[in-house]
Amino acid sequence: MVRTILAIVVIVLSGYSLITQTFELMPYYMFILGALILVSGFVELQKDRKGFWGYMNIVISLFILIFYIPYFL
């Protein structure tokens, strides 16, 4: 449920930025995208598929979230 809501928000924000050619919402878009990838990683780990992609999703999302925190401060 959370993953679906985050995916819809990411699609709406990216579509808005693409249509209007304004990229001032890009930090918010990337933050929500990082949260979406983090949730996807946790879902993969909860499905008892403790493979490479669950951990890789978590690492990538933490990188995105850490990189975009200075834009919010």
Side-chain angles (χ1 to χ4, degrees):
M1 182 70 182
V2 174
R3 193 165 60 169
T4 306
I5 293 170
L6 288 173
I8 291 170
V9 171
V10 166
I11 290 170
V12 168
L13 282 177
S14 63
Y16 175 77
S17 294
L18 186 64
I19 291 170
T20 61
Q21 295 294 315
T22 57
F23 299 106
E24 59 202 23
L25 297 176
M26 185 66 76
Y28 302 109
Y29 163 76
M30 292 301 290
F31 183 77
I32 296 171
L33 183 64
L36 173 64
I37 295 172
L38 183 67
V39 169
S40 296
F42 284 139
V43 167
E44 286 291 321
L45 292 179
Q46 284 182 348
K47 287 183 180 178
D48 289 330
R49 290 191 275 171
K50 300 198 185 321
F52 175 73
W53 291 111
Y55 294 114
M56 185 57 94
N57 281 344
I58 292 173
V59 169
I60 291 170
S61 69
L62 290 177
F63 175 75
I64 292 172
L65 293 175
I66 290 171
F67 183 73
Y68 274 96
I69 282 180
Y71 288 103
F72 295 111
L73 297 178

